[in-house]
Amino acid sequence: ILEKWTNKKEIKWKVVATGTSCKYWSKAKVNYKIFKNYSSTKVLDYINLVKPDIIITSASLNVDLEHIFILEAKKKSIPTASFVDTWVNYLKRFKYKDELIFPDKVLAIDERCKNEMIEDGIPEHIIEVIGQPYLEKIKTNIPKLGSKILLVGQPIQKYFGNSLGFNEEDFRNIC
């Protein structure tokens, strides 16, 4: 998404990061504001400084900063959206201090993601399917794989049981 925005001069965006995501933004050579020891007051001060038209979060697990931005934006009637970029842990992403904190819009990868979000308890009227820009970009650049492929899998059964509707055995059976 940021790659597309970079090419549009009329869009002025800023990135706020904390924790391990800082490494990613540095590697991608994207300017960002580091938030350490953040609080509602610090977030509100930053919102007042930047005066955004909209606040978009990445809907990460266990990142309170995103929830605080949503809460403070709502107080100022600034629209919010959260992008869910994988097909797991939907509702957990919006829990903050034992409460559900939803943005105005939850941006989903596809219809499957949307349907699973609804099943998980996210209100249907706030979900919008927009795709997954990174996956869409790489699917057009898939190299020839050849006849010998090494696939390093993950122990899905061990960590998720049958909650995802598939496991590593299902994947092997497809291959």
Side-chain angles (χ1 to χ4, degrees):
I1 292 174
L2 293 180
E3 190 175 300
K4 287 181 182 179
W5 291 350
T6 302
N7 297 328
K8 294 183 178 186
K9 302 279 187 232
E10 69 275 8
I11 298 177
K12 295 178 183 171
W13 49 269
K14 297 200 179 291
V15 174
V16 172
T18 191
T20 57
S21 69
C22 295
K23 218 184 275 188
Y24 169 80
W25 295 116
S26 293
K27 185 177 177 183
K29 296 181 180 160
V30 171
N31 290 329
Y32 63 94
K33 164 96 171 128
I34 298 173
F35 262 78
K36 293 181 181 177
N37 304 316
Y38 45 84
S39 65
S40 293
T41 303
K42 286 183 181 180
V43 167
L44 183 58
D45 288 347
Y46 190 71
I47 289 172
N48 288 331
L49 175 71
V50 175
K51 296 177 178 41
D53 295 321
I54 187 170
I55 293 176
I56 301 172
T57 72
S58 62
S60 303
L61 280 171
N62 304 317
V63 178
D64 293 346
L65 182 62
E66 295 171 356
H67 300 112
I68 295 170
F69 263 96
I70 291 169
L71 289 169
E72 294 304 321
K74 286 179 180 275
K75 290 177 189 174
K76 297 185 69 60
S77 300
I78 298 171
T80 57
S82 294
F83 181 61
V84 176
D85 60 353
T86 61
W87 294 269
V88 295
N89 300 317
Y90 305 114
L91 203 59
K92 290 179 186 178
R93 297 167 187 268
F94 300 103
K95 283 193 178 173
Y96 175 64
K97 296 185 177 179
D98 295 323
E99 286 188 52
L100 289 172
I101 308 296
F102 292 115
D104 299 308
K105 287 287 180 189
V106 175
L107 309 175
I109 298 171
D110 56 18
E111 287 298 321
R112 173 187 156 199
C113 182
K114 177 182 178 179
N115 292 333
E116 289 176 354
M117 284 182 189
I118 294 166
E119 288 174 20
D120 226 15
I122 296 174
E124 182 175 3
H125 70 278
I126 67 171
I127 303 171
E128 187 171 327
V129 175
I130 66 161
Q132 213 297 7
Y134 179 73
L135 293 178
E136 291 165 11
K137 179 180 176 182
I138 63 170
K139 80 177 183 184
T140 60
N141 298 316
I142 298 173
K144 298 275 186 217
L145 295 178
S147 60
K148 294 182 181 181
I149 300 169
L150 172 63
L151 176 66
V152 180
Q154 303 238 351
I156 297 168
Q157 182 71 35
K158 178 179 177 181
Y159 294 109
F160 296 100
N162 294 320
S163 68
L164 300 177
F166 63 90
N167 62 29
E168 61 273 22
E169 281 300 315
D170 295 318
F171 185 78
R172 279 189 225 123
N173 291 336
I174 292 170
C175 295

